[in-house]
Each structure stands twice: as structure tokens, then as C-alpha cells.
Amino acid sequence: MSKFTQFFRESYAEMRKVVWPTRDDVVSSVKVVIISTIIVAVVLGLLDFAFTEAFRMLMK
């Protein structure tokens, strides 16, 4: 048996062992990612605004 064939047989065997997440798990994870992204975006936006205003005051 060639290494190529052996690789695909072993890969197939490993894929059969995988426990795929349920739809509820995926939806829950997506919600966490979206909420985290929004929070980080808001924090960075506020910091950007604060630093921009601080530099404007310093440049006057």
C-alpha cells in the first residue's frame, strides 16, 4: 500500500472519530463571537475618539 493511500485511509478513520458540534452549540458559539466583536469594536471606537480629542486639544 502506498503512503498516499495509507494517508487517506488513516484520515478517513480519524474523521469517523470526530464528534461534530450540535446546531445549538454552533449557534451559541456564534453569538459569543458576535457579541465579543461588538464589545471590542465599541471599546476601540471609544479609545480612538478619546485619543483623537486629546490630540486636538493639545494641538490648539
Side-chain angles (χ1 to χ4, degrees):
M1 176 167 39
S2 72
K3 287 187 177 187
F4 187 74
T5 305
Q6 181 181 0
F7 170 77
F8 280 103
R9 284 187 184 200
E10 291 174 2
S11 296
Y12 181 76
E14 287 299 318
M15 288 300 291
R16 293 189 52 81
K17 296 178 187 177
V18 172
V19 178
W20 296 99
T22 64
R23 181 178 175 85
D24 290 339
D25 290 341
V26 173
V27 170
S28 177
S29 296
V30 168
K31 286 178 185 177
V32 169
V33 169
I34 290 172
I35 291 169
S36 300
T37 303
I38 291 169
I39 290 170
V40 169
V42 168
V43 168
L44 289 176
L46 290 172
L47 285 172
D48 180 55
F49 177 76
F51 282 121
T52 301
E53 291 302 313
F55 283 122
R56 280 188 185 152
M57 287 181 194
L58 289 173
M59 294 299 163
K60 284 186 178 183

